[in-house]
Amino acid sequence: MGRRERKKAATRQALADAALKLFLERGYEQVGVKEIADAADVSVTTLFKHFGSKEALVFDQDADKEAALVAAVRDRPAGRSVPDALRDHILVSRFAYGANPELRRFLDLVESTPALREYSDRMWIRHRDALAHAIAAEIGAPADDASSAALAFFALQARALTRDHPDPRHMINETFNLLAAGWAAVHPE
Amino acid sequence: MGRRERKKAATRQALADAALKLFLERGYEQVGVKEIADAADVSVTTLFKHFGSKEALVFDQDADKEAALVAAVRDRPAGRSVPDALRDHILVSRFAYGANPELRRFLDLVESTPALREYSDRMWIRHRDALAHAIAAEIGAPADDASSAALAFFALQARALTRDHPDPRHMINETFNLLAAGWAAVHPE
DNA sequence: ATTCAAAAGTGCAATCACTACACTTTCGCA
DNA sequence: TGCGAAAGTGTAGTGATTGCACTTTTGAAT
């Protein structure tokens, strides 16, 4: 990778870092793009060349999530159903920030900011087709199989569904109980 | 109803009418709020006193939809399951514009405008709790029953799920097959 | 090494939805 | 009859996002 791309990546990183730092300090809405650009020592124009929107500054990794999602289905333990594998993956990705306080604060920021919540939801839904195809492949159905698409969509929406529930873990489990039972009925083995 | 409220309602209606007319003529994005206000002969400030956002100008009826939704569940034919009743309701509300070309154009406008699609989706989801409570009441579960909440949420999301599918009717049916089977398994009668 | 075009970055002005404010007009009603 | 709330106005702002014309950097081909 040449100097050019390295510098570009550095600028991008500086922007994302500055943004996250400022957001955590003072809250998403209380920070303007101008400040972020200044903190990263670039112009606002440059900021928007790197990130399509203010929200995008916070979510700087996307492709790996999709890969992980597809892998969760494809590489699931033998005997585990597709919905159950998805349940596991959602539970882990939602509650496994372990003892990492940075991640914890980041998730709190997202959850407490409506604009970021919506953006995050939309990000997940963008992986809908990829997940649907992975599921269809697993059961040997055509790529545009409707039930696979429905399961993929619902699994991805589960985050939004369980967000404001008092007991998210329980809500997720109940939700996937419904999906798993329906899936088993539609696709008996 | 006194003259005052009549005038207020008239202004509101003039705004909604002007907005819809302009949107249909030239497209949602190509029309500014200023133009709408001018067409209705009020100030922009007044426009925003009546409608919370530009999108809201298009969706001027909300309460009745929620009532219809709850009624679809509560007053369903004897022997019909809750998910099936919801399927019927969704199918009707989605395809029953009959020979009404105005409604047809309106729906096309919404479907072809990202901002309006999202707004419409969010509007439906706002009814989530009401629908969830109605479902829970039907099966004699506590109001915060998790499976009822999941079913309500998924049924409402079905519109978004089936939007960009080549055969929406088929997609809706497959989706509700999944939900109905899951629901039957979780709530055997 | 020189040159050249693309890529990265800049600065400015503009757009557009939406808000705050301070103000006037209009009714409803006591 | 008169007063206060409600409806409406106009202006000036904010804040994200875009378009434009411009300079600087740098990879690569000659």
Side-chain angles (χ1 to χ4, degrees), chain A residues 18-167:
Chain A
L20 184 57
K21 177 164 176 293
L22 290 171
F23 290 160
L24 287 174
E25 280 172 11
R26 319 215 311 267
Y28 180 79
E29 325 260 7
Q30 319 311 320
V31 180
V33 273
K34 178 79 192 320
E35 290 178 80
I36 301 169
D38 285 349
D41 206 36
V42 295
S43 71
V44 175
T45 307
T46 297
L47 185 154
F48 279 107
K49 285 245 171 78
H50 282 274
F51 298 90
S53 68
K54 186 184 174 188
E55 291 98 334
L57 283 160
V58 175
F59 301 97
D60 205 7
Q61 10 57 315
D62 196 13
D64 39 343
K65 287 194 185 173
E66 178 165 308
L69 212 43
V70 169
V73 168
R74 189 184 350 95
D75 307 334
R76 69 190 187 283
R80 197 120 183 95
S81 74
V82 172
D84 283 335
L86 284 170
R87 181 207 316 247
D88 296 341
H89 186 258
I90 302 279
L91 280 172
V92 166
S93 83
R94 170 94 195 252
F95 296 109
Y97 33 77
N100 187 338
E102 292 207 19
L103 183 50
R104 168 93 230 185
R105 289 181 70 209
F106 169 77
L107 290 176
D108 285 348
L109 173 69
V110 175
E111 296 300 310
S112 64
T113 310
L116 293 180
R117 281 203 311 233
E118 289 193 19
Y119 190 88
S120 167
D121 287 346
R122 265 187 251 119
M123 274 191 59
W124 280 105
I125 301 181
R126 275 186 213 116
H127 304 320
R128 177 180 122 185
D129 289 344
L131 180 57
H133 293 164
I135 295 175
E138 281 305 301
I139 63 171
D144 66 340
D145 174 59
S147 61
S148 299
L151 179 61
F153 181 74
F154 287 151
L156 292 175
Q157 291 281 342
R159 341 189 108 254
L161 165 58
T162 60
R163 174 152 24 244
D164 45 358
H165 197 84
D167 183 353

Side-chain angles (χ1 to χ4, degrees), chain B residues 29-171:
Chain B
E29 325 259 6
Q30 319 311 320
V31 180
V33 277
K34 178 80 193 317
E35 291 179 81
I36 300 168
D38 285 349
D41 206 36
V42 294
S43 71
V44 175
T45 307
T46 298
L47 185 155
F48 280 108
K49 286 244 173 77
H50 281 274
F51 298 90
S53 69
K54 188 184 174 188
E55 291 98 334
L57 282 159
V58 175
F59 301 97
D60 205 7
Q61 9 59 314
D62 196 12
D64 38 343
K65 287 194 184 173
E66 178 165 307
L69 212 43
V70 170
V73 168
R74 190 186 347 98
D75 307 334
R76 68 190 188 283
R80 196 122 183 93
S81 74
V82 171
D84 283 335
L86 284 170
R87 182 205 318 245
D88 296 341
H89 186 257
I90 303 278
L91 280 172
V92 166
S93 83
R94 171 93 194 254
F95 296 109
Y97 33 77
N100 187 337
E102 292 208 20
L103 184 49
R104 167 95 230 184
R105 289 180 70 209
F106 170 76
L107 291 176
D108 285 347
L109 173 68
V110 174
E111 296 300 310
S112 63
T113 309
L116 293 180
R117 281 202 312 233
E118 290 193 20
Y119 190 87
S120 167
D121 287 346
R122 265 187 250 119
M123 273 191 60
W124 281 103
I125 301 181
R126 275 187 212 117
H127 304 320
R128 177 179 122 186
D129 289 344
L131 181 56
H133 293 164
I135 295 175
E138 281 305 300
I139 63 172
D144 65 340
D145 174 57
S147 60
S148 300
L151 179 62
F153 181 74
F154 287 151
L156 293 175
Q157 292 276 299
R159 343 190 106 253
L161 166 58
T162 61
R163 177 162 12 251
D164 45 358
H165 197 83
D167 183 353
R169 199 176 237 113
H170 175 247
M171 185 74 222

